[in-house]
Amino acid sequence: MPERTPPAPTHSSPPSGPKPRADAARNREAVLAAADRLFAEHDSPGTVTMADIAAAAGVGKATLFRGFGDRTGLIRALHETRLAPIRQAAEDGPPPLGPATPPHERVPALLDALLRFKLDNRHLALALEGTGNDSPYGAGHYPHWHATLRTALEQIPDLPTPDFTAHALLAATRADLVEHLTGHEGLTREQLRTRLAEFTARILGPAPSPEKNQET
């Protein structure tokens, strides 16, 4: 009996996983870049729609909603991408932003970093603050920075109400206030940084002397 010829092997299609992941990554970068550009070009971030962003990025609206959920999710993703280095430094980095820094040095450094970020990304900060039901306190990033400042302020023994003080200091870095002071009152970047530093120093009071630290 003649031997049967084994059937020719069938070749399945190559795995399709990596390509969609690569496409998704490219689409995400294109969307974030387009959103960033459009927010910068428009006087009011609220006039930029998801349809505008999709068209500028060369993707469908469905791609935006799959990747970011909604307009607020897109703005938050863009904001977090830009702010990530500062946030990382505040969480576990070295001085002056890191948690091991004495509070009289850390608090001004954190506020200055936030102010410089909002000066550099004013359009994006305004767009994000507008997602919190017209209040920056409802935006997703606010509780994190409030908690970070409050933790640092709690290390100052004679400072009352660190929770409220953290709110008051963060209010001085609001994007709409930064926009008003630079755009309408004509303060320069360095003038605004100097005034914030002076205000913060008055709130915190003098740092304890080394002699007092050694006594305690």
mmCIF file of all heavy atoms in Angstrom, residues 39-71:
data_model
loop_
_atom_site.group_PDB
_atom_site.id
_atom_site.type_symbol
_atom_site.label_atom_id
_atom_site.label_comp_id
_atom_site.label_asym_id
_atom_site.label_seq_id
_atom_site.Cartn_x
_atom_site.Cartn_y
_atom_site.Cartn_z
ATOM 1 N N PHE A 39 -5.023 73.824 21.476
ATOM 2 C CA PHE A 39 -5.256 74.592 22.698
ATOM 3 C C PHE A 39 -4.372 75.843 22.729
ATOM 4 O O PHE A 39 -4.780 76.892 23.234
ATOM 5 C CB PHE A 39 -4.990 73.735 23.940
ATOM 6 C CG PHE A 39 -6.051 72.703 24.197
ATOM 7 C CD1 PHE A 39 -5.704 71.393 24.497
ATOM 8 C CD2 PHE A 39 -7.390 73.023 24.143
ATOM 9 C CE1 PHE A 39 -6.672 70.435 24.737
ATOM 10 C CE2 PHE A 39 -8.373 72.076 24.373
ATOM 11 C CZ PHE A 39 -8.017 70.774 24.670
ATOM 12 N N ALA A 40 -3.154 75.726 22.192
ATOM 13 C CA ALA A 40 -2.239 76.868 22.180
ATOM 14 C C ALA A 40 -2.690 77.932 21.179
ATOM 15 O O ALA A 40 -2.453 79.127 21.377
ATOM 16 C CB ALA A 40 -0.828 76.407 21.844
ATOM 17 N N GLU A 41 -3.332 77.504 20.088
ATOM 18 C CA GLU A 41 -3.704 78.434 19.022
ATOM 19 C C GLU A 41 -4.998 79.186 19.320
ATOM 20 O O GLU A 41 -5.241 80.251 18.735
ATOM 21 C CB GLU A 41 -3.859 77.669 17.706
ATOM 22 C CG GLU A 41 -2.541 77.125 17.162
ATOM 23 C CD GLU A 41 -2.745 76.229 15.956
ATOM 24 O OE1 GLU A 41 -3.920 75.905 15.641
ATOM 25 O OE2 GLU A 41 -1.743 75.846 15.330
ATOM 26 N N HIS A 42 -5.842 78.654 20.210
ATOM 27 C CA HIS A 42 -7.141 79.267 20.474
ATOM 28 C C HIS A 42 -7.103 80.078 21.767
ATOM 29 O O HIS A 42 -6.544 79.641 22.771
ATOM 30 C CB HIS A 42 -8.233 78.197 20.569
ATOM 31 C CG HIS A 42 -8.587 77.594 19.242
ATOM 32 N ND1 HIS A 42 -7.729 76.760 18.546
ATOM 33 C CD2 HIS A 42 -9.709 77.690 18.473
ATOM 34 C CE1 HIS A 42 -8.312 76.369 17.411
ATOM 35 N NE2 HIS A 42 -9.501 76.928 17.348
ATOM 36 N N ASP A 43 -7.733 81.251 21.718
ATOM 37 C CA ASP A 43 -7.778 82.097 22.907
ATOM 38 C C ASP A 43 -8.561 81.445 24.032
ATOM 39 O O ASP A 43 -8.208 81.558 25.204
ATOM 40 C CB ASP A 43 -8.409 83.454 22.569
ATOM 41 C CG ASP A 43 -7.536 84.267 21.631
ATOM 42 O OD1 ASP A 43 -6.306 84.058 21.654
ATOM 43 O OD2 ASP A 43 -8.085 85.102 20.885
ATOM 44 N N SER A 44 -9.625 80.740 23.689
ATOM 45 C CA SER A 44 -10.434 80.055 24.687
ATOM 46 C C SER A 44 -10.351 78.551 24.455
ATOM 47 O O SER A 44 -10.802 78.054 23.413
ATOM 48 C CB SER A 44 -11.904 80.505 24.599
ATOM 49 O OG SER A 44 -12.712 79.740 25.474
ATOM 50 N N PRO A 45 -9.774 77.790 25.403
ATOM 51 C CA PRO A 45 -9.681 76.345 25.212
ATOM 52 C C PRO A 45 -11.036 75.672 25.024
ATOM 53 O O PRO A 45 -11.121 74.624 24.384
ATOM 54 C CB PRO A 45 -9.011 75.876 26.511
ATOM 55 C CG PRO A 45 -8.297 77.068 27.028
ATOM 56 C CD PRO A 45 -9.138 78.237 26.648
ATOM 57 N N GLY A 46 -12.089 76.273 25.568
ATOM 58 C CA GLY A 46 -13.407 75.671 25.460
ATOM 59 C C GLY A 46 -13.931 75.607 24.046
ATOM 60 O O GLY A 46 -14.886 74.866 23.764
ATOM 61 N N THR A 47 -13.340 76.365 23.123
ATOM 62 C CA THR A 47 -13.805 76.358 21.734
ATOM 63 C C THR A 47 -13.218 75.199 20.939
ATOM 64 O O THR A 47 -13.633 74.969 19.802
ATOM 65 C CB THR A 47 -13.438 77.679 21.036
ATOM 66 O OG1 THR A 47 -12.006 77.822 21.011
ATOM 67 C CG2 THR A 47 -14.034 78.871 21.776
ATOM 68 N N VAL A 48 -12.255 74.486 21.506
ATOM 69 C CA VAL A 48 -11.642 73.351 20.812
ATOM 70 C C VAL A 48 -12.473 72.104 21.072
ATOM 71 O O VAL A 48 -12.656 71.692 22.219
ATOM 72 C CB VAL A 48 -10.191 73.117 21.280
ATOM 73 C CG1 VAL A 48 -9.578 71.917 20.560
ATOM 74 C CG2 VAL A 48 -9.351 74.360 21.046
ATOM 75 N N THR A 49 -12.994 71.488 20.019
ATOM 76 C CA THR A 49 -13.858 70.324 20.160
ATOM 77 C C THR A 49 -13.092 69.038 19.853
ATOM 78 O O THR A 49 -12.002 69.061 19.279
ATOM 79 C CB THR A 49 -15.053 70.425 19.211
ATOM 80 O OG1 THR A 49 -14.578 70.328 17.847
ATOM 81 C CG2 THR A 49 -15.795 71.747 19.390
ATOM 82 N N MET A 50 -13.702 67.922 20.224
ATOM 83 C CA MET A 50 -13.107 66.626 19.903
ATOM 84 C C MET A 50 -13.026 66.430 18.398
ATOM 85 O O MET A 50 -12.078 65.817 17.893
ATOM 86 C CB MET A 50 -13.915 65.497 20.551
ATOM 87 C CG MET A 50 -13.828 65.457 22.056
ATOM 88 S SD MET A 50 -12.219 64.901 22.652
ATOM 89 C CE MET A 50 -12.489 63.119 22.758
ATOM 90 N N ALA A 51 -14.007 66.947 17.662
ATOM 91 C CA ALA A 51 -13.975 66.847 16.205
ATOM 92 C C ALA A 51 -12.788 67.627 15.634
ATOM 93 O O ALA A 51 -12.121 67.159 14.696
ATOM 94 C CB ALA A 51 -15.280 67.373 15.613
ATOM 95 N N ASP A 52 -12.508 68.793 16.205
ATOM 96 C CA ASP A 52 -11.350 69.576 15.763
ATOM 97 C C ASP A 52 -10.059 68.795 15.971
ATOM 98 O O ASP A 52 -9.181 68.751 15.104
ATOM 99 C CB ASP A 52 -11.268 70.886 16.546
ATOM 100 C CG ASP A 52 -12.430 71.820 16.281
ATOM 101 O OD1 ASP A 52 -13.005 71.747 15.182
ATOM 102 O OD2 ASP A 52 -12.771 72.612 17.180
ATOM 103 N N ILE A 53 -9.936 68.173 17.145
ATOM 104 C CA ILE A 53 -8.717 67.440 17.481
ATOM 105 C C ILE A 53 -8.557 66.221 16.587
ATOM 106 O O ILE A 53 -7.462 65.922 16.100
ATOM 107 C CB ILE A 53 -8.731 67.047 18.969
ATOM 108 C CG1 ILE A 53 -8.714 68.309 19.846
ATOM 109 C CG2 ILE A 53 -7.545 66.148 19.311
ATOM 110 C CD1 ILE A 53 -8.983 68.048 21.307
ATOM 111 N N ALA A 54 -9.663 65.502 16.369
ATOM 112 C CA ALA A 54 -9.604 64.319 15.508
ATOM 113 C C ALA A 54 -9.162 64.695 14.100
ATOM 114 O O ALA A 54 -8.317 64.025 13.491
ATOM 115 C CB ALA A 54 -10.964 63.628 15.482
ATOM 116 N N ALA A 55 -9.716 65.778 13.569
ATOM 117 C CA ALA A 55 -9.357 66.206 12.220
ATOM 118 C C ALA A 55 -7.888 66.607 12.143
ATOM 119 O O ALA A 55 -7.176 66.264 11.190
ATOM 120 C CB ALA A 55 -10.253 67.364 11.782
ATOM 121 N N ALA A 56 -7.413 67.332 13.160
ATOM 122 C CA ALA A 56 -6.019 67.782 13.157
ATOM 123 C C ALA A 56 -5.047 66.618 13.304
ATOM 124 O O ALA A 56 -3.932 66.651 12.777
ATOM 125 C CB ALA A 56 -5.793 68.798 14.282
ATOM 126 N N ALA A 57 -5.473 65.576 14.037
ATOM 127 C CA ALA A 57 -4.613 64.409 14.243
ATOM 128 C C ALA A 57 -4.707 63.404 13.113
ATOM 129 O O ALA A 57 -3.892 62.473 13.048
ATOM 130 C CB ALA A 57 -4.972 63.733 15.565
ATOM 131 N N GLY A 58 -5.705 63.548 12.258
ATOM 132 C CA GLY A 58 -5.882 62.601 11.157
ATOM 133 C C GLY A 58 -6.448 61.266 11.598
ATOM 134 O O GLY A 58 -6.129 60.227 11.003
ATOM 135 N N VAL A 59 -7.282 61.279 12.636
ATOM 136 C CA VAL A 59 -7.910 60.048 13.119
ATOM 137 C C VAL A 59 -9.415 60.279 13.216
ATOM 138 O O VAL A 59 -9.890 61.413 13.152
ATOM 139 C CB VAL A 59 -7.348 59.621 14.494
ATOM 140 C CG1 VAL A 59 -5.849 59.409 14.422
ATOM 141 C CG2 VAL A 59 -7.682 60.658 15.566
ATOM 142 N N GLY A 60 -10.151 59.199 13.391
ATOM 143 C CA GLY A 60 -11.586 59.306 13.562
ATOM 144 C C GLY A 60 -11.954 59.672 14.992
ATOM 145 O O GLY A 60 -11.194 59.423 15.929
ATOM 146 N N LYS A 61 -13.138 60.243 15.158
ATOM 147 C CA LYS A 61 -13.578 60.602 16.507
ATOM 148 C C LYS A 61 -13.670 59.375 17.399
ATOM 149 O O LYS A 61 -13.417 59.451 18.604
ATOM 150 C CB LYS A 61 -14.931 61.316 16.450
ATOM 151 C CG LYS A 61 -14.841 62.762 16.009
ATOM 152 C CD LYS A 61 -16.217 63.417 15.974
ATOM 153 C CE LYS A 61 -16.845 63.479 17.351
ATOM 154 N NZ LYS A 61 -18.146 64.188 17.330
ATOM 155 N N ALA A 62 -14.021 58.243 16.814
ATOM 156 C CA ALA A 62 -14.129 57.017 17.606
ATOM 157 C C ALA A 62 -12.786 56.653 18.242
ATOM 158 O O ALA A 62 -12.741 56.131 19.359
ATOM 159 C CB ALA A 62 -14.634 55.869 16.745
ATOM 160 N N THR A 63 -11.702 56.938 17.531
ATOM 161 C CA THR A 63 -10.369 56.661 18.068
ATOM 162 C C THR A 63 -10.115 57.491 19.321
ATOM 163 O O THR A 63 -9.531 57.012 20.304
ATOM 164 C CB THR A 63 -9.296 56.957 17.014
ATOM 165 O OG1 THR A 63 -9.511 56.113 15.877
ATOM 166 C CG2 THR A 63 -7.898 56.720 17.561
ATOM 167 N N LEU A 64 -10.531 58.749 19.299
ATOM 168 C CA LEU A 64 -10.356 59.611 20.464
ATOM 169 C C LEU A 64 -11.122 59.076 21.664
ATOM 170 O O LEU A 64 -10.589 58.984 22.781
ATOM 171 C CB LEU A 64 -10.829 61.035 20.151
ATOM 172 C CG LEU A 64 -9.769 62.026 19.680
ATOM 173 C CD1 LEU A 64 -9.261 61.631 18.304
ATOM 174 C CD2 LEU A 64 -10.329 63.433 19.651
ATOM 175 N N PHE A 65 -12.366 58.697 21.441
ATOM 176 C CA PHE A 65 -13.196 58.253 22.559
ATOM 177 C C PHE A 65 -12.732 56.899 23.093
ATOM 178 O O PHE A 65 -12.821 56.639 24.292
ATOM 179 C CB PHE A 65 -14.662 58.201 22.138
ATOM 180 C CG PHE A 65 -15.267 59.568 21.969
ATOM 181 C CD1 PHE A 65 -15.530 60.078 20.703
ATOM 182 C CD2 PHE A 65 -15.556 60.356 23.067
ATOM 183 C CE1 PHE A 65 -16.070 61.347 20.537
ATOM 184 C CE2 PHE A 65 -16.098 61.630 22.918
ATOM 185 C CZ PHE A 65 -16.359 62.124 21.651
ATOM 186 N N ARG A 66 -12.220 56.039 22.205
ATOM 187 C CA ARG A 66 -11.667 54.764 22.690
ATOM 188 C C ARG A 66 -10.407 54.990 23.520
ATOM 189 O O ARG A 66 -10.186 54.312 24.528
ATOM 190 C CB ARG A 66 -11.351 53.841 21.512
ATOM 191 C CG ARG A 66 -12.543 53.126 20.915
ATOM 192 C CD ARG A 66 -12.091 51.947 20.065
ATOM 193 N NE ARG A 66 -11.147 52.352 19.023
ATOM 194 C CZ ARG A 66 -11.504 52.727 17.803
ATOM 195 N NH1 ARG A 66 -12.781 52.761 17.471
ATOM 196 N NH2 ARG A 66 -10.586 53.073 16.909
ATOM 197 N N GLY A 67 -9.579 55.917 23.094
ATOM 198 C CA GLY A 67 -8.310 56.119 23.765
ATOM 199 C C GLY A 67 -8.370 56.972 25.012
ATOM 200 O O GLY A 67 -7.579 56.778 25.936
ATOM 201 N N PHE A 68 -9.331 57.907 25.071
ATOM 202 C CA PHE A 68 -9.329 58.871 26.170
ATOM 203 C C PHE A 68 -10.668 58.993 26.892
ATOM 204 O O PHE A 68 -10.735 59.692 27.910
ATOM 205 C CB PHE A 68 -8.917 60.251 25.643
ATOM 206 C CG PHE A 68 -7.555 60.253 25.003
ATOM 207 C CD1 PHE A 68 -7.426 60.125 23.630
ATOM 208 C CD2 PHE A 68 -6.408 60.349 25.768
ATOM 209 C CE1 PHE A 68 -6.167 60.135 23.029
ATOM 210 C CE2 PHE A 68 -5.159 60.345 25.180
ATOM 211 C CZ PHE A 68 -5.033 60.235 23.808
ATOM 212 N N GLY A 69 -11.695 58.373 26.392
ATOM 213 C CA GLY A 69 -12.988 58.418 27.060
ATOM 214 C C GLY A 69 -13.809 59.617 26.657
ATOM 215 O O GLY A 69 -14.901 59.472 26.118
ATOM 216 N N ASP A 70 -13.308 60.815 26.917
ATOM 217 C CA ASP A 70 -14.016 62.040 26.558
ATOM 218 C C ASP A 70 -13.001 63.184 26.508
ATOM 219 O O ASP A 70 -11.796 62.980 26.657
ATOM 220 C CB ASP A 70 -15.149 62.343 27.546
ATOM 221 C CG ASP A 70 -14.664 62.426 28.994
ATOM 222 O OD1 ASP A 70 -13.444 62.531 29.211
ATOM 223 O OD2 ASP A 70 -15.507 62.383 29.909
ATOM 224 N N ARG A 71 -13.506 64.376 26.311
ATOM 225 C CA ARG A 71 -12.622 65.538 26.183
ATOM 226 C C ARG A 71 -11.824 65.765 27.461
ATOM 227 O O ARG A 71 -10.628 66.078 27.417
ATOM 228 C CB ARG A 71 -13.454 66.770 25.847
ATOM 229 C CG ARG A 71 -12.643 68.038 25.578
ATOM 230 C CD ARG A 71 -13.575 69.169 25.143
ATOM 231 N NE ARG A 71 -12.841 70.387 24.844
ATOM 232 C CZ ARG A 71 -12.477 71.272 25.752
ATOM 233 N NH1 ARG A 71 -12.792 71.066 27.029
ATOM 234 N NH2 ARG A 71 -11.820 72.362 25.408
#
